Amino acid sequence: MRNAPTILHLDMDAFYASVEQASKPSLRGKAVIVGGLGPRGVVATASYEARVFGVHSAMPMAQARRLAPNAAYLVPRFGIYRDTSEQVMALLRELSPLVEPLSLDEAFVDLEAGETAWDEASARLVGTKLRADIRAATGLAGSVGLAASKMLAKIGSEQAKPDGLVVIEPGTERAMLGPMSVRTLPGVGPATGDHLRRAGIHTVEEIAEAGEDELVRLLGKAHGHALYAMALAHDERPVVAERETKSVSVEDTYDVDIHDRVRVGFEVQRLADRCVRRLRGAGLSGRTIVLKVRRYDFSTLTRSETLRGPTDDPAVVREAAARLLDSVDTTGGVRLLGVGVSGLADYTQEDLFAQAAGVRMEEAAEDGEEEAAVARRAEGAAERRWHAGHDVRHAEFGHGWVQGSGLGRVTVRFETPRSEPGRVRTFRVDDPGLEAAEPLPLVEGRPGKGGGSGGPGAGGGAGAADGGLGAGSRL
């Protein structure tokens, strides 16, 4: 372990919910819950205001609604989360070539490798400046932990929440860890925690006092040795800049089981196209196409087909996925579908077009248009779906977001990230003046796909109350 706190761990505070609050002035300071809104949905992120009611990530959405019935319930907008994450990761890479992203909102940075910190004082200055730079670039708060190891830096960022900075100085680790719960240590989940509790071990210091032999007896050789080392604050894991991607996949869980075989086929095609877009976005191709089907009785089947070489061609992936679906019995209904690609490479093989069974489908001019067309065919209806929290634009009232929809109506609040809380208006779901829109930048002057201002009515006063929140469609 190092003799200076030069490993930094950044954790963006309640990331998805914070992005939504930054986007929507009317939700700032209020309970916001992001996740799947259907009966089988789960909470992806809850704002700190929602956590007061006991809501937390991975909680069933139905339970969250019972705990916080008046919160704003929103469908995730992964596009803006990814864009915001890219801005944050770019700031981290300015500090060091060794940045290890763990998710969209979390990463380790080796400041010593970037020669940006070498002792406690310089590390603290870097952490303070980073938090200010993130707020300037995104308008969001991030918590920072600085320590001599990855484990301690992550513990420090947890202690720093919300919106803080904690530096753990070398030599103080054992004293700090000692009184903490065993659940503080990485890898100690509910099951291991209960096992230790039954043995009379509740704190990190008690793990150290129990000794390595006793931990091996209780937990097995590998887990026992690792846990004892962590209790002594030993962690030699390096910050790894690049993680090898083994597969790329997408999946959807459906609120209501799909029984129509044609609809199942369309959903598989849609997922295949999404998977290819993600594959191409990572600059990869793959040889093995994988189909995942979870049936009405929770039985899960996977089928795979390996091609002669790697591909990122949507027609090839679609047709392989369709062939795999032919071998699966979906009688009784389907609750989850997924399409993935493994056996990854960073090149493609031109003669793979010959592998497609049948005539190759003509690729759409834009992937988004193709997905929308598939979705409309799958739905078999012209009625548009409006997801709670997603961006819209009205020809008369400008930019806004969906508060809820149902019974042929959609409720929209017209506001932008830099406006006052906006007014609420209700329209028919097929109103010709209303259309889906790209998110606006969170901070003025930052590039954004949505572009432009909120338009007429975007900053129109704090009029109506928050009606219809969370009444939207599923994730």
Side-chain angles (χ1 to χ4, degrees):
M1 195 163 65
R2 307 177 185 207
N3 58 7
T6 54
I7 292 183
L8 180 150
H9 181 261
L10 170 70
D11 197 344
M12 299 296 291
D13 297 337
F15 184 53
Y16 294 176
S18 294
V19 170
E20 299 300 343
Q21 289 176 319
S23 296
K24 303 169 172 66
S26 59
L27 297 185
R28 293 170 191 168
K30 298 183 179 180
V32 175
I33 298 170
V34 181
L37 302 189
R40 296 172 184 159
V42 297
V43 175
T45 307
S47 69
Y48 284 98
E49 295 86 353
R51 296 179 191 185
V52 171
F53 298 98
V55 180
H56 58 77
S57 299
M59 172 182 285
M61 191 62 76
Q63 182 180 355
R65 288 186 184 277
R66 290 193 295 270
L67 293 173
N70 296 319
Y73 288 86
L74 308 177
V75 174
R77 297 184 298 154
F78 289 109
I80 191 171
Y81 306 152
R82 283 192 293 268
D83 290 345
T84 305
S85 174
E86 288 171 4
Q87 293 178 36
V88 173
M89 296 301 166
L91 291 173
L92 298 183
R93 292 187 180 96
E94 292 177 3
L95 300 176
S96 172
L98 290 183
V99 176
E100 182 179 342
L102 303 179
S103 62
L104 289 178
D105 59 344
E106 186 179 2
F108 287 110
V109 184
D110 187 332
L111 300 178
E112 188 175 61
E115 299 182 350
T116 49
W118 48 91
D119 58 12
E120 187 272 337
S122 59
R124 186 180 294 274
L125 285 173
V126 169
T128 300
K129 183 177 184 301
L130 173 64
R131 293 176 57 239
D133 289 345
I134 289 173
R135 188 174 290 280
T138 68
L140 304 179
S143 294
V144 169
L146 288 153
S149 70
K150 290 169 72 172
M151 179 188 77
L152 292 166
K154 183 172 175 62
I155 290 173
S157 69
E158 287 293 324
Q159 290 184 315
K161 289 183 177 180
D163 192 16
L165 182 148
V166 166
V167 179
I168 301 174
E169 298 183 34
T172 68
E173 299 95 344
R174 288 285 302 277
M176 180 204 70
L177 285 175
M180 292 184 173
S181 165
V182 296
R183 293 289 302 276
T184 303
L185 298 180
V188 181
T192 302
D194 287 345
H195 201 55
L196 292 170
R197 179 180 52 79
R198 287 194 294 270
I201 300 173
H202 301 85
T203 67
V204 175
E205 182 60 32
E206 288 170 345
I207 291 177
E209 291 173 352
E212 192 168 16
D213 291 342
E214 176 65 9
L215 290 171
V216 169
R217 187 186 69 79
L218 287 171
L219 304 174
K221 188 174 182 180
H223 202 179
H225 286 313
L227 196 59
Y228 182 69
M230 288 189 290
L232 298 180
H234 295 164
D235 178 19
E236 301 297 333
R237 294 174 300 157
V239 175
V240 181
E242 297 295 336
R243 290 171 171 261
E244 183 180 357
T245 302
K246 296 182 178 179
S247 65
V248 172
S249 62
V250 297
E251 62 182 41
D252 275 344
T253 300
Y254 304 98
D255 294 341
V256 179
D257 292 345
I258 303 175
H259 293 84
D260 182 356
R261 181 76 179 190
V262 174
R263 168 77 186 281
V264 173
F266 278 128
E267 289 292 324
V268 168
Q269 299 289 285
R270 182 176 63 83
L271 289 166
D273 288 339
R274 280 175 53 194
C275 183
V276 168
R277 283 200 299 279
R278 184 170 294 182
L279 194 70
R280 287 180 167 181
L284 297 170
S285 58
R287 296 182 66 238
T288 301
I289 314 303
V290 181
L291 175 71
K292 177 180 177 181
V293 180
R294 181 168 296 150
R295 299 187 291 191
Y296 70 99
D297 58 357
F298 285 89
S299 62
T300 302
L301 305 175
T302 57
R303 299 287 186 269
S304 64
E305 175 182 321
T306 299
L307 307 174
R308 292 198 300 269
T311 184
D312 66 351
D313 182 79
V316 173
V317 177
R318 279 196 300 263
E319 292 172 15
R323 289 194 296 274
L324 294 170
L325 180 61
D326 288 340
S327 67
V328 177
D329 180 10
T330 59
T331 304
V334 171
R335 62 190 297 119
L336 177 146
L337 290 168
V339 174
V341 177
S342 60
L344 301 181
D346 57 1
Y347 64 92
T348 59
Q349 191 168 304
E350 292 181 357
D351 66 356
L352 284 176
F353 299 117
Q355 296 179 12
V359 180
R360 174 182 174 181
M361 296 174 62
E362 182 178 356
E363 190 170 348
E366 294 185 13
D367 289 336
E369 293 179 2
E370 183 169 0
E371 179 174 314
V374 172
R376 285 195 296 271
R377 292 195 297 270
E379 291 292 330
E383 182 174 307
R384 291 176 291 177
R385 296 165 58 203
W386 301 102
H387 297 278
H390 282 216
D391 297 85
V392 294
R393 175 172 289 278
H394 193 274
E396 180 180 354
F397 302 107
H399 191 94
W401 58 276
V402 176
Q403 286 203 188
S405 64
L407 302 177
R409 301 285 179 179
V410 55
T411 301
V412 177
R413 184 181 286 274
F414 290 98
E415 59 186 5
T416 70
R418 293 172 296 282
S419 74
E420 295 295 321
R423 296 185 181 276
V424 175
R425 298 181 184 274
T426 298
F427 307 91
R428 292 177 56 88
V429 294
D430 59 355
D431 188 306
L434 191 65
E435 62 182 3
E438 293 287 349
L440 297 178
L442 300 182
V443 174
E444 190 169 7
R446 301 294 302 184
K449 294 179 180 179
S453 63
D466 290 345
L469 283 172
S473 51
R474 68 172 184 268
L475 171 60

